Amino acid sequence: MNHRATLVSDAPFFDDLVAQGKRPRLAVLVTSRSCTRTARRRSSLWDPETWPDRKSLPTLGRIAKDHMGLKVPAKAIDAGLALDAKMNQY
């Protein structure tokens, strides 16, 4: 395995991620053993032109509802997530 992603709740670089006076509570740490320039270019990962139209993707509320088998409507979950993002942005 050449790449690994880990969720971290504290790391020395968190001080560099402070926004509006608040440190993040969680970050994704991605480590890579190797990645050639050709592989990065060929993957098109960072090329927005290759990304699917967001409207064709399920919302996070739909994903959570389906994944956890929730009885709450996906629109209600999405509304709660939008409110949380607004209130807890930083």
Side-chain angles (χ1 to χ4, degrees):
M1 179 185 309
N2 286 333
H3 314 289
R4 178 171 296 203
T6 307
L7 292 175
V8 293
S9 58
D10 192 31
F13 59 83
F14 272 38
D15 289 335
D16 297 329
L17 302 176
V18 171
Q20 295 188 359
K22 295 186 180 181
R23 290 176 96 234
R25 289 185 269 180
L26 194 64
V28 178
L29 177 64
V30 178
T31 55
S32 177
R33 290 186 186 179
S34 67
C35 186
T36 66
R37 188 175 337 155
T38 303
R40 284 192 305 265
R41 190 172 352 122
R42 193 173 15 175
S43 74
S44 301
L45 182 62
W46 304 112
D47 180 5
E49 296 296 319
T50 66
W51 300 347
D53 180 10
R54 291 193 72 159
K55 292 177 184 168
S56 71
L57 301 173
T59 65
L60 184 53
R62 169 54 57 194
I63 293 169
K65 178 181 173 51
D66 292 348
H67 181 70
M68 294 187 270
L70 302 174
K71 296 188 187 309
V72 178
K75 286 186 178 187
I77 298 170
D78 287 324
L81 289 168
L83 179 61
D84 180 69
K86 183 178 180 180
M87 302 296 290
N88 298 305
Q89 185 175 12
Y90 296 104

